[in-house]
Amino acid sequence: AQSVAQPEDQVNVAEGNPLTVKCTYSVSGNPYLFWYVQYPNRGLQFLLKYITGDNLVKGSYGFEAEFNKSQTSFHLKKPSALVSDSALYFCAVRGSGTYKYIFGTGTRLKVLA
Amino acid sequence: DAGVTQSPTHLIKTRGQQVTLRCSPKSGHDTVSWYQQALGQGPQFIFQYYEEEERQRGNFPDRFSGHQFPNYSSELNVNALLLGDSALYLCASSSLAGLHIQETQYFGPGTRLLVL
């Protein structure tokens, strides 16, 4: 069965510091991995995805994520956090042979000025 | 270029009633998926429609049904509403573009349903 774990409910980081939001997954076959961000009372906004190729994926707003097959992880990173990055972040996985995305429970990122 | 749109934005119903939510996909997209996001949770997959047929379904009861129209828009219907159906309902659209591994789902703003 497919699953996604986001082990941290909340991550606090000072503005200007690097940030990491963790995600691990379990899926049979090749994983297709995604990060989305959700602002209050809004839908999910696509940030980036890993399908195949380079393990470091670059996305919107300066975010990037590193795919690590041996650790089954897909952590979201940004070199320098902004207060405006404060939001709820979701990791999702889709296994081969299925169309549904499985989402984690989300990590609330709080960037402190 | 309009993104995914959903209507209504908010809805209040009472237990036992029926509700219909609507979704228009992003221009150029032919596939619509529906998700339920309960408070404090990640979205849960309800089902996906492609070529006007339900292609895959999540673990939701038959009270949840859907439809896709020839213009690719979609409806989600929920019958016999329960208090536990209160949630944000998200529609996502995507395009197969011949290679489904390239598919990315783009989400609408959601419809917040409150069942009293």
Side-chain angles (χ1 to χ4, degrees):
Chain A
Q2 299 175 115
S3 66
V4 173
Q6 293 183 243
E8 301 154 318
D9 289 337
Q10 181 160 322
V11 170
N12 296 326
V13 63
E15 187 176 31
N17 282 3
L19 69 88
T20 299
V21 182
K22 296 179 181 177
C23 172
T24 59
Y25 66 90
S26 174
V27 67
S28 54
N30 292 323
Y32 305 128
L33 296 154
F34 305 83
W35 275 101
Y36 287 84
V37 59
Q38 188 174 36
Y39 295 97
N41 300 313
R42 302 285 295 277
L44 275 67
Q45 186 173 337
F46 171 71
L47 283 178
L48 52 79
K49 68 182 178 184
Y50 172 83
I51 301 297
T52 186
D54 287 343
N55 290 341
L56 186 64
V57 178
K58 294 189 182 296
S60 307
Y61 313 116
F63 284 94
E64 57 190 28
E66 186 170 10
F67 170 66
N68 188 316
K69 188 172 183 178
S70 62
Q71 297 185 5
T72 61
S73 66
F74 189 55
H75 300 331
L76 181 70
K77 300 182 179 185
K78 187 173 182 181
S80 178
L82 300 173
V83 172
S84 58
D85 293 330
S86 298
L88 189 56
Y89 290 80
F90 288 98
C91 179
V93 66
R94 181 169 71 81
S96 54
T98 179
Y99 300 104
K100 67 178 181 181
Y101 286 23
I102 301 296
F103 283 85
T105 52
T107 297
R108 187 165 301 282
L109 174 66
K110 191 168 184 179
V111 181
L112 306 169
Chain B
D1 176 25
V4 180
T5 59
Q6 293 185 242
S7 63
T9 55
H10 294 81
L11 206 50
I12 300 174
K13 293 286 187 178
T14 57
R15 281 180 298 175
Q17 284 189 312
Q18 178 265 343
V19 68
T20 297
L21 311 182
R22 296 176 176 82
C23 171
S24 291
K26 184 177 169 66
S27 178
H29 284 185
D30 56 10
T31 303
V32 173
S33 303
W34 287 92
Y35 291 80
Q36 180 195 66
Q37 185 179 15
L39 201 62
Q41 300 296 317
Q44 300 285 319
F45 177 78
I46 302 175
F47 41 54
Q48 184 180 87
Y49 275 83
Y50 173 66
E51 292 188 336
E52 302 179 47
E53 291 193 358
E54 182 183 291
R55 182 160 65 173
Q56 187 171 6
R57 188 179 184 92
N59 295 326
F60 279 80
D62 292 345
R63 298 187 298 110
F64 289 77
S65 63
H67 188 77
Q68 185 179 34
F69 299 93
N71 67 352
Y72 308 119
S73 67
S74 176
E75 289 182 349
L76 165 65
N77 301 293
V78 187
N79 295 322
L81 284 167
L82 304 173
L83 297 180
D85 295 331
S86 296
L88 180 67
Y89 288 85
L90 295 165
C91 169
S93 74
S94 55
S95 173
L96 285 186
L99 287 171
H100 75 273
I101 64 170
Q102 303 295 332
E103 175 201 21
T104 296
Q105 294 185 8
Y106 292 88
F107 286 79
T111 293
R112 188 163 296 280
L113 173 65
L114 178 61
V115 182
L116 301 176

